[in-house]
Every structure is written in structure tokens, then in C-alpha cells.
């Protein structure tokens, strides 16, 4: 490996020349960007290519971490932990505030990285950057809030202190779909609590992570406190396993698919390590017969198709009372059409596979009797796809239970509140939900009964902010966690509280996630 200094000038990159969508005919020189370890650029012996999902063109190459490189990052984080832990809160706070300012000053470049690497619209990229810097400023203000306690003991003459201490080295695994929001969130809370961190970036958006971490370095983050690695897809299993099993890694946070989350949870459990998981979703939006239908339609359209539906909180099921379904359907299609017209472009998924998955789900549903009421199930080329609304889905269709993570949504009709509630809870997921009604008491009843980490009354399912706890509904006990892998699907669906959207919380309670309790007693 060697140390290099990469250029942040995107215009200097030489893109791949293609013949048709994503078919390479000539690959010219493209820059190779390094990992970031101990506040220095770190180039590895091997690398992997990163392509634009919107064009299929080569954007750049990125250094791929081996086990040896991963060990170097872990050692750097471990070495820096004692000094970072001891650094006074005001000094940590100032670094976070400066990092937020630097992200704002580099906004144009960071936004372009995200548009290129993930196919995001400029609006979605701008939203990411706005919220990412907000998270940093919010967390900066919470750094001094970590406190212990002095409880009264049972025995006279015995005194006690309860300390809140950081874990040590944290592994943060962030996805590509919101690389700045979810990347900052994965490291800001652990760092603020006094931990050091290794950010394992997505191989689909490594330059976004590189740029974000470099803002921390420029802000004066001490050497080794934050390290960023990435690797080629074929190395995912051994590198991740090595990280989780390493004795220096004390806790893990992961945002991503439920399938991968289960693997990470299993590895962490086998090594008795705590983990925070935010996983998949199949978010319902319930439109009751007294709802403001224009508002509901606009919120459902935005919640379903923002970032092409590639958000874990995306609205995948719109459950509508039969009394208002005709009027709502008209308003919903109108709202989707207006949103699509404003974007003036076909949405782009992260790769061809994402679009193919959504189209397969639609094809299966249509063959089994569902109807398309808006859009074209075979529209778009390669990774591009326009919004589709489907109606008449049934439990025998794959799309009924499967998270599409694409620009598709199912419109379902119910006759009562109880039926709406039952349908909303008929999923293995439980991350976010919405209910639309003019009756607050009615809305609060749904909020209590819907099995979800968050329920938004008269707002879209996609809602996350730093002042609020954020995470999924999961198993009520470790017994359920054990049994879920052994029970048949029909039984799983009948056990309340058994959801697969993760556990733990980011957000307002996030600092408590990243400290552990120590009891100290002494006698007079």
C-alpha cells in the first residue's frame, strides 16, 4: 500500500465510453481513490471500479481493503481511543461544528459525487447534505449531555457512582441510498459519545464516504479517531467477518437490508457483541374515510417515489377506505403525475438489478390478477424506471410481502378501521407507517396499534430527523429471535411484535446507544 493525495475535481475524471446502456466498449484511464486511515490517504494493492447507474459509464476506481488493510484501520482506531475518550466535550463539539461548516462549503462537489455514484436527483442529494450537516450540529450540542448518577445504596456507609463510558472501537456500516445522512449518522453519535470508529463504506458510493470523512479530518479530528475503508463486493464476507470478530471492535451499527442484517446480527451474537440495526421496510400508509384526500395523495406520492422508492421508509402499501377510494385514486394518480413532471426525468435506481426486481414483482402480480392503474410495468431502460401504481394485490403475489425498494406501490381497499389495521400489520417489517385522518383521536389509536417503530399522522412514511428516535420494531424477546428462524411463515405472521426492521435507535436517544454503564462503590 502507499499514501496518495486524491483530487476532488470531478471534471478531471475520464469516463468510460459505452455502446448502449452499461455495455462497455472502451475503458480509458480513470483515477483510483484511496481509503482513509489515520487521517491519511491509503492506497491498497487492489481496487474495484465504480460505475454510474444512470449511464453505465466508469466514474473511477476505488482502493479495496484486504484483511491486512482492515487490521491497519482497526489498530489506528484502537490506538487513538484513550486520547479521544479523554478529550473534553467542548473540544469535541467544536470539531463537529467545524465539520458541518466544511460540508456546507464543499456542497457542490459532495452533491456531484452522490449524483454520479448513486444516480440520485440533485434534489435528493441536496436534501441529504442539508440533513447531514444538521445531524452534526445537533449531535455537537448533545456531547455534554452524557451523565452518570450517584444512587443511594442499601447499606449505610457504602457509596456508589454509576458511570457512562464509551465502548471503544465501533464498526459503522452505511448504505448507498442516502450516503451522507446515513453515513454521518452511523459515525457522529458513536464519536460524540467518546468512541472511535471505522466506517465501512458501500462499494457503490465510496467517494461519498471518502468526501464526508475528509471533512472531519479538515475540521481537526485527531489522527486515527475515524477511519474509512471499502472493498470489492467479492471481499464483503471475509472482511466483514474479520471486523465483527476482531476483539477491538466493541459494537456494530448497520443500516441496510434485512437479509444482510440477519447475517451481521448472527456474527455479532456469536461474539457476544451488541449491534444496532436499521433494516428493511414495507411501510403502509392508511387513508381513512375522513382524510384530507388531496393532502394524503401528495404525501403518499412523495413517500412512495422519493429517490425512486429506494428508502427503507418508502410507502409500499396505500390502504384506503372503500368510501373514498375512487376520489383518492384520482388524486393519487394526479399527484404522482405532477411529481414526475416536476422531476422531468425517469427515475434511476442504483443498478439494473434493482429495476429488474421491481419489474419481476409487477409481472408476477399482473399474471396473478392485479391491475396497473398508473404507469408502465416495463418502462425505462437499464436502471431507469418510472413510477407504477398497482391495484388488486393479494397474498399469493410476491409483491404483497416483498420489499420492492423501487418505484412501485400497491393500492389496497378496506371496509373498516379494523381491516385497515390488520392489513397494515400483515408484514414481517415494522419501520415506519402513516395514517391520514382529520380525527386526532382516531389517528392516535392507529399509532398505538400499528406495529412500527414510527407512525406519522397526516404525513408521509419517509420521516427522520435528529431530534427523534429512529429505528424498527423487532422481536419482543430473544426467545422470539431464536424461534423466528424455526417457525413457518404462517405462524410468524400471527405472532404480534415479531418484526424484522431492526432494533436499537438512532436519533435523540442515540448517545445512550453508544455508552455502557459501570457501577463503582466505595465505603467510608
Amino acid at each position: 500500500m502507499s499514501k496518495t493525495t486524491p483530487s476532488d475535481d470531478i471534471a478531471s475524471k475520464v469516463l468510460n465510453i459505452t455502446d448502449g446502456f452499461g455495455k462497455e466498449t472502451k475503458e480509458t484511464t480513470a483515477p483510483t481513490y484511496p481509503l482513509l486511515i489515520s487521517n491519511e490517504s491509503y492506497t491498497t494493492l487492489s481496487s474495484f471500479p465504480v460505475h454510474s447507474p444512470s449511464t453505465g459509464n466508469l466514474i473511477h476506481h476505488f482502493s479495496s481493503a484486504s484483511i491486512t488493510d482492515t487490521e491497519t484501520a482497526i489498530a489506528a482506531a484502537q490506538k487513538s481511543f484513550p486520547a479521544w475518550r479523554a478529550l473534553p466535550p467542548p473540544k469535541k463539539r467544536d470539531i463537529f461544528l467545524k465539520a458541518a461548516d466544511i460540508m456546507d462549503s464543499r456542497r457542490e462537489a459532495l452533491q456531484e459525487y452522490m449524483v454520479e455514484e448513486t444516480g440520485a436527483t440533485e434534489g435528493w442529494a441536496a436534501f441529504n447534505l442539508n440533513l447531514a450537516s444538521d445531524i452534526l450540529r445537533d449531535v455537537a450540542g448533545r456531547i455534554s449531555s452524557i451523565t452518570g448518577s450517584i444512587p443511594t445504596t442499601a447499606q449505610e456507609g457504602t457509596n456508589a457512582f454509576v458511570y457512562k463510558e464509551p465502548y471503544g472501537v465501533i464498526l459503522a456500516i452505511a448504505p448507498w441510498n442516502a450516503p451522507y445522512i446515513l453515513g454521518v449518522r452511523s459515525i457522529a453519535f458513536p464519536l460524540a459519545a467518546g468512541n472511535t470508529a471505522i466506517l465501512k463504506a458501500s462499494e457503490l458510493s465510496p467517494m461519498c464516504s471518502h468526501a464526508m470523512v475528509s471533512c472531519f479530518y479538515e475540521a481537526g479530528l485527531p489522527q486515527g479517531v475515524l477511519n474509512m475503508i471499502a472493498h470489492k463486493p467479492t471481499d464483503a464476507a471475509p472482511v466483514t467477518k474479520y471486523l465483527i470478530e476482531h476483539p477491538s471492535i466493541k459494537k456494530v451499527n448497520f443500516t441496510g437490508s434485512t437479509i444482510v442484517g440477519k447475517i451481521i446480527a448472527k456474527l455479532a451474537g456469536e461474539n457476544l457483541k451488541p449491534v444496532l440495526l436499521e433494516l428493511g421496510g414495507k411501510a403502509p400508509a392508511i387513508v381513512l374515510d375522513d382524510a384530507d384526500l388531496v393532502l394524503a395523495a401528495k404525501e403518499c406520492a412523495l413517500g412512495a417515489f422519493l429517490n425512486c422508492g429506494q428508502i427503507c421508509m418508502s410507502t409500499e402499501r396505500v390502504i384506503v377506505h372503500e368510501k373514498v377510494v375512487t376520489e383518492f385514486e384520482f388524486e393519487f394518480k394526479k399527484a404522482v403525475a405532477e411529481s414526475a413532471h416536476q422531476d422531468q426525468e425517469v427515475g434511476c435506481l442504483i443498478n439494473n438489478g434493482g429495476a429488474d426486481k421491481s419489474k419481476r414483482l409487477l409481472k408476477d402480480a399482473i399474471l396473478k390478477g392485479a391491475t396497473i392503474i398508473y404507469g408502465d410495468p416495463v418502462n425505462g431502460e437499464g436502471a431507469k424506471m418510472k413510477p407504477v401504481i398497482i391495484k388488486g394485490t393479494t397474498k399469493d403475489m410476491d409483491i404483497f410481502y416483498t420489499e420492492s425498494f423501487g418505484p412501485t406501490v400497491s393500492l389496497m381497499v378496506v371496509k373498516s378501521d379494523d381491516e385497515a389495521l390488520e392489513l397494515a400489520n400483515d408484514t414481517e417489517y415494522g419501520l415506519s407507517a402513516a395514517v391520514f385522518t382529520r380525527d386526532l383521536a382516531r389517528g392516535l389509536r392507529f399509532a398505538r396499534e400499528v406495529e412500527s417503530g414510527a407512525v406519522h399522522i397526516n404525513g408521509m412514511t419517509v420521516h427522520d430527523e435528529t431530534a427523534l428516535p429512529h429505528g424498527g420494531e423487532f422481536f419482543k424477546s430473544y426467545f422470539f429471535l431464536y424461534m423466528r428462524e424455526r417457525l413457518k411463515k404462517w405462524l410468524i405472521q400471527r405472532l404480534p411484535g415479531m418484526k424484522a426492521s431492526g432494533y436499537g435507535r438512532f436519533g435523540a436517544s442515540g448517545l445512550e446507544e453508544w455508552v455502557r454503564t459501570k457501577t463503582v462503590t466505595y465505603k467510608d
Side-chain angles (χ1 to χ4, degrees):
M1 72 290 298
S2 61
K3 298 172 183 177
T4 63
T5 303
S7 168
D8 279 346
D9 183 8
I10 297 181
S12 68
K13 300 175 186 176
V14 182
L15 299 180
N16 191 37
I17 300 173
T18 63
D19 178 20
F21 186 87
K23 297 179 180 179
E24 301 178 3
T25 57
K26 180 181 179 183
E27 187 161 291
T28 56
T29 303
T32 298
Y33 290 103
L35 311 180
L36 293 172
I37 299 176
S38 289
N39 296 44
E40 295 180 324
S41 296
Y42 184 102
T43 300
T44 58
L45 296 176
S46 65
S47 64
F48 59 91
V50 180
H51 294 84
S52 165
S54 60
T55 65
N57 292 340
L58 176 70
I59 310 170
H60 48 247
H61 298 275
F62 209 88
S63 292
S64 180
S66 65
I67 296 298
T68 300
D69 303 322
T70 302
E71 176 63 42
T72 301
I74 295 172
Q78 182 64 45
K79 181 179 179 180
S80 66
F81 173 62
W84 176 248
R85 172 185 180 181
L87 191 70
K91 292 187 177 181
K92 291 189 178 81
R93 175 202 63 205
D94 291 346
I95 292 171
F96 275 58
L97 293 175
K98 189 173 181 180
D101 290 341
I102 292 168
M103 284 192 73
D104 288 344
S105 71
R106 296 178 57 191
R107 181 188 185 92
E108 184 177 348
L110 269 63
Q111 182 170 309
E112 194 168 351
Y113 291 140
M114 184 172 167
V115 170
E116 278 201 321
E117 287 191 322
T118 71
T121 63
E122 291 186 359
W124 176 242
F127 175 81
N128 257 255
L129 288 165
N130 288 338
L131 186 52
S133 57
D134 283 350
I135 291 171
L136 286 175
R137 293 186 176 99
D138 182 89
V139 173
R142 299 177 187 273
I143 289 177
S144 298
S145 68
I146 300 174
T147 58
S149 62
I150 307 176
T152 301
T153 62
Q155 184 176 358
E156 186 176 353
T158 299
N159 303 280
F161 298 108
V162 177
Y163 294 100
K164 296 294 182 70
E165 298 183 336
Y167 282 88
V169 182
I170 301 299
L171 171 61
I173 307 176
W176 52 265
N177 59 322
Y180 296 124
I181 296 173
L182 303 182
V184 164
R185 187 184 70 175
S186 73
I187 56 178
F189 290 100
L191 293 179
N195 302 280
T196 55
I198 296 171
L199 173 63
K200 193 172 86 70
S202 168
E203 72 277 7
L204 300 173
S205 59
M207 198 58 204
C208 292
S209 298
H210 182 285
M212 179 184 67
V213 171
S214 69
C215 291
F216 279 88
Y217 289 0
E218 189 178 338
L221 191 72
Q223 191 174 37
V225 170
L226 174 60
N227 306 276
M228 174 256 173
I229 66 170
H231 52 69
K232 62 183 70 174
T234 53
D235 289 341
V239 170
T240 304
K241 186 174 186 291
Y242 184 83
L243 281 161
I244 294 174
E245 292 181 343
H246 197 287
S248 291
I249 300 294
K250 302 302 183 185
K251 188 170 181 176
V252 179
N253 76 70
F254 169 78
T255 301
S257 71
T258 297
I259 293 174
V260 177
K262 289 179 182 179
I263 297 171
I264 289 172
K266 180 180 179 181
L267 281 170
E270 289 173 347
N271 290 274
L272 293 178
K273 294 184 180 181
V275 60
L276 189 165
L277 300 172
E278 186 200 318
L279 307 177
K282 190 75 176 175
I286 304 166
V287 182
L288 300 178
D289 54 357
D290 66 341
D292 180 333
L293 299 183
V294 174
L295 170 67
K298 290 180 179 179
E299 293 293 308
C300 288
L302 190 58
F305 301 119
L306 185 64
N307 196 34
C308 256
Q310 298 173 115
I311 304 173
C312 51
M313 299 173 281
S314 291
T315 304
E316 297 228 1
R317 298 173 293 152
V318 180
I319 302 169
V320 187
H321 196 285
E322 65 176 3
K323 291 181 180 179
V324 296
V325 67
T326 301
E327 185 180 351
F328 174 79
E329 185 176 321
F330 172 80
E331 294 293 344
F332 190 29
K333 290 188 286 187
K334 179 181 175 182
V336 175
E338 289 176 350
S339 298
H341 177 70
Q342 290 169 5
D343 287 343
Q344 295 180 341
E345 60 182 348
V346 180
C348 183
L349 281 78
I350 189 62
N351 52 35
N352 294 12
D356 290 343
K357 176 185 177 182
S358 290
K359 292 174 183 178
R360 284 197 305 271
L361 291 172
L362 290 171
K363 181 179 180 180
D364 172 78
I366 293 168
L367 288 174
K368 294 175 181 176
T371 57
I372 301 293
I373 62 173
Y374 181 91
D376 180 354
V378 294
N379 72 77
E381 181 182 33
K384 296 183 178 181
M385 186 175 177
K386 294 179 181 179
V388 176
I389 305 173
I390 192 170
K391 189 176 181 181
T393 52
T394 56
K395 294 184 179 183
D396 64 325
M397 301 173 186
D398 293 339
I399 201 170
F400 191 91
Y401 288 113
T402 303
E403 180 185 24
S404 70
F405 215 66
T408 67
V409 65
S410 297
L411 181 63
M412 304 175 173
V413 184
V414 294
K415 297 181 179 180
S416 66
D417 286 12
D418 288 343
E419 187 181 353
L421 185 61
E422 182 180 358
L423 188 56
N425 288 334
D426 190 7
T427 173
E428 68 171 321
Y429 298 106
L431 185 60
S432 183
V435 58
F436 295 90
T437 175
R438 287 186 171 92
D439 184 341
L440 180 59
R442 193 179 184 190
L444 290 173
R445 179 205 164 212
F446 272 88
R448 288 192 299 270
E449 297 297 328
V450 172
E451 296 169 355
S452 180
V455 179
H456 307 290
I457 301 174
N458 295 328
M460 65 173 168
T461 57
V462 179
H463 188 124
D464 184 15
E465 57 183 274
T466 58
L468 302 174
H470 180 70
E473 184 84 3
F474 200 65
F475 308 101
K476 297 298 184 185
S477 70
Y478 287 108
F479 171 74
F480 281 158
L481 177 61
Y482 173 81
M483 290 300 294
R484 185 185 183 282
E485 300 301 322
R486 291 157 177 79
L487 296 176
K488 294 180 180 179
K489 184 175 181 180
W490 65 270
L491 182 56
I492 293 171
Q493 294 167 357
R494 289 159 177 78
L495 288 175
M498 296 185 66
K499 300 293 181 179
S501 288
Y503 48 83
R505 288 295 183 269
F506 290 105
S509 59
L511 295 188
E512 286 295 322
E513 282 279 355
W514 302 106
V515 291
R516 50 189 172 186
T517 301
K518 176 185 287 185
T519 299
V520 176
T521 66
Y522 72 94
K523 294 185 177 181
D524 293 337

